[in-house]
C-alpha cells in the first residue's frame, strides 16, 4: 500500500458517500458453504469449480448475491471461522484462480459476491498468534490481548461450553482474551497495525472482484477487549474507517453486518445516514419475533417487533432471514417466549442448543408445506433484503446426529441417491454425511425432482422471488401495519414508487378479513391458490389456514 493511499489508521479519513448503485436493496442473498455445495473432482469436498457450474441454478432461482461462508485455510474447528490465512483458499475448495473464475462468471450473470470477513479473531494456529505467544517482543504480541492476571471479565463467552473469555497459554505464560472458542484469540483493533492488516485483507479480496463483506461478529470486533489499555474510545470510528477504505477501493462495495441485540443497540451500526458503516444488518430480532408469531399464531408479536426496529437510515437496510447455518438463536425473546417457540418447533433436547435456540433446519421445524410457504411469504414481503441458506429453497432437512450446528451443514441435495449428486465420492467419504432419513433425505428432497414438478417448493420459491423482484417497493418502500381482526392476521403495506399490500393468516383455521385501507384498485399478484379476494371496497379477503395474498395498487390490467 503506498503511503498516500488511505489507511485505517488515518484518523482523518472521511467517507464521501459514493454509493451510486444500491443493488443490495432489491434482491435475494444466498448463503453458500462452498465445501458442502457441489464437489467437482470427486474428493468428497465441495469446491469453487462445482459452485461455478451451479451458477445457472442460482440464476434461475432469482439469486442476486451469493454470500460465501469462510473458504480460507483453516483447521475447520468452527466451520472455517477459525482462519489461518486471510489471503488463501482452502486447497480442498480450489485455487485462487478458480475463485476468480467463480467471481467473474457470477458477475457475467449479474450476481454479486460477498465474502465473510472474519477479523474479530484468528485461529490460534494463525502465524500471527504463533509468533505472539512465542515472543513477547514480537510485533504480533500486541495483535492480541494478554494478561498475566486477568481482571474479572465484563462479558460472558458467546458459547456456553467455554468457561471464560480468558484462557491461559503455556507458551506465552499469560492469558489471552477471546469471546468465541478458546482456539479463536481475539484481535485487538485498537492497535493500528491490526487495522492496517484488516485493510490489506479487504484490499486483496476487492482486487479479486468481490462486491463486499459480511462482517463477522460486527459489534464484538470493536468492543472493549478485556483490558482498559485496549479500550476503544469510539468503536464506530473504526468501523467507519474500514468502510471508508473499502469504499475508496470500490464505491459500490457493501458491508453486511452480523450484529444481534436490541434494536437500539444495533441501529448505530448503520452509521450516520450517509451509509458510512453497514449497508445491511442481519435482522435477528425479526427472526425471533417471526418464530414467536408462528408459534402463537398471533400477528401482534410481529408488528410490535417491526415497530421496534424503526426504519434504518437512508442507506441502510435490514437483512431478513428465517434460518442461517448457525443455530436459530432465540436469545432476544423472553424466557417464556423462547420456551413457547421451542415447545412448538424444537421440543426435544437434541433439537436445542446453547440453552437459547434450535439446531434444526426450517422445513423439519415447520413440518407443513402451508406453514413453510407462509414463513417464506413473510420473509419475502417484509421490509428488507431476504437472505436464505443453501438448501432451504428445496426444504432440506437436518442431521441431528452431527455435532452442534453441523446438523444444518449437510451436503446440498441435487439428485436422489446416496451422495445426492453432491459428489461422485463414496458416500462414506464425504465432508459430511448426506441427510439419510426417508422424508428429508435425497430420495424425498432434491433439486432435480423439484425442478420438474410444477407444484414443488423450489418452483414455488422461484415464483415468489420473481414476483418480489417485479415489485422493488418490497425492498425499497416504507412499511406500515394495517389494523385487522382477527389477531392471527397480519396485514402490512409497503409504499414507495408504487404500493403493495401483503396479508398473512398465521393460524391453521381459515379467516375472513376486512381491511380498512384507502388504496384504490387493489389486485392480487401472488397467493397460496387457496385464499381469495372477495371485494375491494372495503378490501375483503377469505384467507385459508396459513393463507397469504399479496396485492398491488393501481388497477389496470395485470
Ligand atoms: C458467527 C458465525 O456465523 C459463527 O458460525 C461463528 O462461530 C462465529 N461468528 C465466530 O466466528
Amino acid at each position: 500500500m503506498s503511503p498516500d493511499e488511505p489507511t485505517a489508521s488515518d484518523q482523518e479519513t472521511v467517507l464521501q458517500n459514493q454509493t451510486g448503485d444500491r443493488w443490495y436493496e432489491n434482491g435475494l442473498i444466498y448463503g453458500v458453504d462452498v465445501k458442502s455445495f457441489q464437489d467437482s473432482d470427486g474428493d468428497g469436498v465441495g469446491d469453487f469449480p462445482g459452485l461455478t457450474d451451479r451458477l445457472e441454478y442460482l440464476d434461475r432461482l432469482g439469486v442476486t448475491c451469493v454470500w460465501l461462508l469462510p473458504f480460507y485455510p483453516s483447521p475447520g474447528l468452527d466451520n472455517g471461522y477459525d482462519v489461518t490465512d486471510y489471503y488463501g483458499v482452502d486447497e480442498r475448495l480450489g485455487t485462487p484462480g478458480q475463485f476468480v473464475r467463480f467471481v467473474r462468471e457470477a458477475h457475467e450473470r449479474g450476481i454479486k459476491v460477498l465474502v465473510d470477513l472474519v477479523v474479530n479473531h484468528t485461529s490460534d494456529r494463525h502465524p500471527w498468534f504463533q509468533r505472539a505467544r512465542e515472543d513477547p517482543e514480537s510485533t504480533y504480541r500486541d495483535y492480541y490481548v494478554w494478561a498475566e492476571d486477568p481482571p474479572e471479565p465484563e462479558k460472558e463467552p458467546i458459547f456456553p461450553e467455554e468457561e471464560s473469555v480468558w484462557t491461559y497459554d503455556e507458551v506465552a505464560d499469560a492469558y489471552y482474551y477471546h469471546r468465541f472458542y478458546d482456539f479463536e484469540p481475539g484481535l485487538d483493533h485498537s492497535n493500528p497495525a491490526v487495522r492496517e492488516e484488516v485493510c490489506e485483507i479487504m484490499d486483496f479480496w476487492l482486487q479479486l472482484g468481490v462486491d463486499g463483506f459480511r462482517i463477522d461478529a460486527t459489534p464484538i470486533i470493536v468492543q472493549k477487549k478485556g483490558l482498559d489499555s485496549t479500550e476503544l474510545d469510539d468503536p464506530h470510528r473504526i468501523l467507519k474507517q474500514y468502510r471508508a477504505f473499502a469504499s475508496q477501493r470500490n464505491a459500490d462495495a457493501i458491508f453486511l453486518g452480523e450484529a444481534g441485540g436490541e434494536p437500539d443497540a444495533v441501529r448505530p451500526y448503520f452509521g450516520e445516514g450517509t451509509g458510512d458503516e453497514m449497508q445491511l444488518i442481519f435482522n435477528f430480532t425479526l427472526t425471533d419475533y417471526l418464530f414467536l408469531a408462528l408459534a402463537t399464531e398471533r400477528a401482534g408479536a410481529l408488528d410490535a417487533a417491526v415497530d421496534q426496529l424503526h426504519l434504518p437510515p437512508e442507506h441502510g437496510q435490514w437483512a431478513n432471514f428465517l434460518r442461517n447455518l448457525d443455530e436459530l438463536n432465540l436469545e432476544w425473546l423472553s424466557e417464556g417466549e423462547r420456551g413457547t417457540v421451542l415447545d412448538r418447533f424444537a421440543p426435544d433436547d437434541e433439537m436445542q442448543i446453547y440453552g437459547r435456540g434450535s439446531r434444526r433446519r426450517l422445513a423439519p421445524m415447520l413440518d407443513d408445506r402451508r406453514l413453510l410457504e407462509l414463513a417464506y411469504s413473510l420473509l419475502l414481503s417484509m421490509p428488507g433484503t431476504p437472505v436464505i441458506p443453501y438448501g432451504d429453497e428445496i426444504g432440506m432437512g437436518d442431521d441431528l446426529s452431527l455435532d452442534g450446528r453441523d446438523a444444518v451443514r449437510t451436503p446440498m441435495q441435487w439428485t436422489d441417491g446416496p451422495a445426492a449428486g453432491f459428489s461422485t465420492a463414496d458416500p462414506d467419504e464425504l465432508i459430511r454425511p448426506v441427510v439419510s432419513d426417508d422424508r428429508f433425505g435425497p430420495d424425498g428432497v432434491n433439486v432435480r425432482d423439484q425442478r420438474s414438478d410444477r407444484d414443488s417448493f423450489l418452483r414455488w420459491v422461484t415464483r415468489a422471488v420473481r414476483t418480489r423482484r417485479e415489485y422493488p417497493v418490497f425492498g425499497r418502500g416504507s412499511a406500515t401495519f394495517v389494523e385487522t381482526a382477527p389477531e392471527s392476521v397480519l396485514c402490512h403495506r409497503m409504499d414507495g414508487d408504487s404500493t403493495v399490500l401483503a396479508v398473512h393468516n398465521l393460524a391453521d383455521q381459515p379467516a375472513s378479513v376486512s381491511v380498512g385501507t384507502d388504496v384504490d384498485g387493489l389486485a392480487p399478484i401472488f397467493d397460496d391458490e387457496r385464499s381469495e379476494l372477495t371485494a375491494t371496497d372495503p378490501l375483503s379477503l377469505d384467507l385459508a389456514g396459513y393463507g397469504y395474498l399479496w396485492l398491488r395498487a393501481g388497477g389496470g390490467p395485470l
Side-chain angles (χ1 to χ4, degrees):
M1 207 181 306
S2 77
D4 55 351
E5 287 186 274
T7 68
S9 56
D10 174 3
Q11 298 295 309
E12 297 315 311
T13 303
V14 178
L15 173 69
Q16 301 302 321
N17 174 30
Q18 309 156 59
T19 311
D21 176 12
R22 284 150 65 168
W23 57 265
Y24 51 88
E25 286 181 338
N26 185 35
L28 176 68
I29 301 182
Y30 188 86
V32 177
D33 194 357
V34 180
K35 60 186 174 303
S36 300
F37 198 61
Q38 178 68 71
D39 172 20
S40 71
D41 57 7
D43 66 355
V45 183
D47 47 39
F48 277 104
L51 174 59
T52 308
D53 287 346
R54 292 299 186 182
L55 275 168
E56 189 232 339
Y57 168 78
L58 299 179
D59 206 358
R60 275 169 68 164
L61 177 60
V63 169
T64 53
C65 176
V66 172
W67 151 36
L68 299 173
L69 272 77
F71 51 81
Y72 315 105
S74 158
L77 301 175
D78 182 15
N79 203 33
Y81 283 92
D82 45 336
V83 177
T84 48
D85 176 5
Y86 289 108
Y87 299 95
V89 174
D90 179 333
E91 278 182 359
R92 300 168 306 163
L93 274 55
T95 62
Q98 290 167 337
F99 171 86
V100 170
R101 189 182 135 218
F102 163 71
V103 174
R104 184 168 34 78
E105 292 198 18
H107 285 170
E108 278 165 13
R109 289 179 180 274
I111 296 176
K112 308 274 186 187
V113 179
L114 300 183
V115 298
D116 238 293
L117 185 71
V118 192
V119 291
N120 173 64
H121 49 263
T122 64
S123 160
D124 60 356
R125 297 191 215 165
H126 193 289
W128 296 342
F129 189 72
Q130 291 301 321
R131 297 279 296 280
R133 68 202 289 241
E134 280 154 13
D135 178 5
E137 302 306 317
S138 145
T139 10
Y140 298 106
R141 185 75 161 198
D142 291 340
Y143 276 30
Y144 301 91
V145 181
W146 300 93
E148 278 170 24
D149 189 12
E152 201 49 46
E154 283 180 9
K155 305 267 182 205
E156 298 283 312
I158 303 282
F159 300 121
E161 66 244 47
E162 292 297 313
E163 269 169 31
S164 165
V165 292
W166 291 104
T167 291
Y168 179 70
D169 181 62
E170 278 184 6
V171 178
D173 187 23
Y175 292 80
Y176 60 90
Y177 186 83
H178 58 92
R179 280 300 297 290
F180 293 94
Y181 294 109
D182 62 0
F183 52 80
E184 292 176 331
L187 285 167
D188 181 2
H189 290 251
S190 67
N191 178 346
V194 167
R195 301 204 294 271
E196 292 293 329
E197 298 278 10
V198 173
C199 288
E200 276 193 35
I201 295 163
M202 289 195 290
D203 205 2
F204 179 79
W205 293 104
L206 287 167
Q207 291 302 327
L208 294 189
V210 308
D211 301 286
F213 301 94
R214 171 202 180 261
I215 311 290
D216 188 56
T218 306
I220 301 177
I221 292 178
V222 289
Q223 253 160 25
K224 177 179 167 183
K225 296 212 163 136
L227 296 178
D228 284 345
S229 58
T230 62
E231 185 156 11
L232 300 154
D233 56 344
D234 178 359
H236 289 284
R237 185 170 188 129
I238 291 183
L239 292 174
K240 287 182 204 302
Q241 287 169 359
Y242 291 156
R243 174 61 211 290
F245 182 87
S247 296
Q248 293 276 355
R249 291 294 187 269
N250 174 353
D252 289 334
I254 66 156
F255 280 2
L256 162 58
E258 188 207 21
E262 295 303 327
D264 284 347
V266 171
R267 220 171 167 275
Y269 293 93
F270 280 117
E272 279 152 23
T274 52
D276 61 357
E277 279 183 55
M278 308 292 132
Q279 280 81 9
L280 291 171
I281 298 183
F282 282 113
N283 201 344
F284 284 91
T285 317
L286 181 70
T287 310
D288 280 17
Y289 284 96
L290 205 143
F291 273 93
L292 182 64
L294 294 177
T296 56
E297 305 196 341
R298 273 193 313 102
L302 204 48
D303 62 16
V306 176
D307 273 357
Q308 266 189 60
L309 288 166
H310 319 291
L311 282 178
E314 171 74 351
H315 287 268
Q317 179 143 306
W318 296 106
N320 298 333
F321 62 101
L322 297 164
R323 240 358 229 110
N324 57 24
L325 296 167
D326 293 333
E327 75 278 19
L328 166 63
N329 186 347
L330 300 168
E331 75 174 279
W332 296 284
L333 298 179
S334 70
E335 209 179 318
E337 292 169 335
R338 187 162 45 248
T340 304
V341 176
L342 290 173
D343 284 350
R344 171 86 198 266
F345 296 123
D348 301 345
D349 284 354
E350 62 158 5
M351 298 169 176
Q352 299 176 12
I353 188 165
Y354 305 146
R356 63 178 179 229
S358 160
R359 60 190 198 101
R360 306 181 79 189
R361 275 240 186 204
L362 187 69
M365 256 194 302
L366 301 186
D367 200 24
D368 180 331
R369 168 72 184 264
R370 296 171 308 152
L371 201 48
L372 205 53
E373 285 186 20
L374 179 81
Y376 254 84
S377 172
L378 285 163
L379 173 76
L380 294 172
S381 62
M382 282 280 158
T385 298
V387 186
I388 66 170
Y390 77 91
D392 269 15
E393 75 280 16
I394 52 170
M396 250 171 70
D398 44 49
D399 181 347
L400 298 177
S401 73
L402 299 180
D403 276 352
R405 301 175 296 170
D406 284 353
V408 296
R409 298 166 179 166
T410 58
M412 179 68 179
Q413 295 171 194
W414 297 102
T415 60
D416 55 10
F422 160 69
S423 172
T424 53
D426 182 325
D428 292 333
E429 309 283 314
L430 306 180
I431 174 132
R432 288 193 187 106
V434 168
V435 169
S436 62
D437 72 74
D438 289 344
R439 202 162 139 225
F440 290 103
D443 288 344
V445 176
N446 72 70
V447 170
R448 187 161 62 196
D449 289 352
Q450 293 199 22
R451 257 191 162 175
S452 56
D453 172 4
R454 101 161 277 292
D455 295 326
S456 70
F457 190 56
L458 175 63
R459 296 274 292 264
W460 180 90
V461 172
T462 308
R463 285 194 297 277
V465 168
R466 195 166 300 153
T467 309
R468 183 200 146 98
R469 285 182 60 189
E470 281 166 15
Y471 295 88
V473 65
F474 279 123
R476 299 204 171 111
S478 60
T480 33
F481 285 84
V482 185
E483 287 278 322
T484 49
E487 64 168 4
S488 68
V489 175
L490 179 85
C491 174
H492 69 281
R493 167 182 172 167
M494 304 288 299
D495 289 291
D497 44 14
S498 64
T499 293
V500 286
L501 230 87
V503 193
H504 293 89
N505 177 15
L506 308 184
D508 197 358
Q509 296 307 312
S512 291
V513 195
S514 171
V515 181
T517 170
D518 55 358
V519 185
D520 287 333
L522 282 165
I525 50 174
F526 189 67
D527 62 64
D528 55 34
E529 295 179 3
R530 296 175 294 122
S531 300
E532 261 184 288
L533 174 68
T534 49
T536 48
D537 191 16
L539 179 65
S540 307
L541 308 151
D542 278 345
L543 292 170
Y546 300 138
Y548 54 86
L549 231 147
W550 300 356
L551 306 121
R552 67 161 173 89
L558 284 178

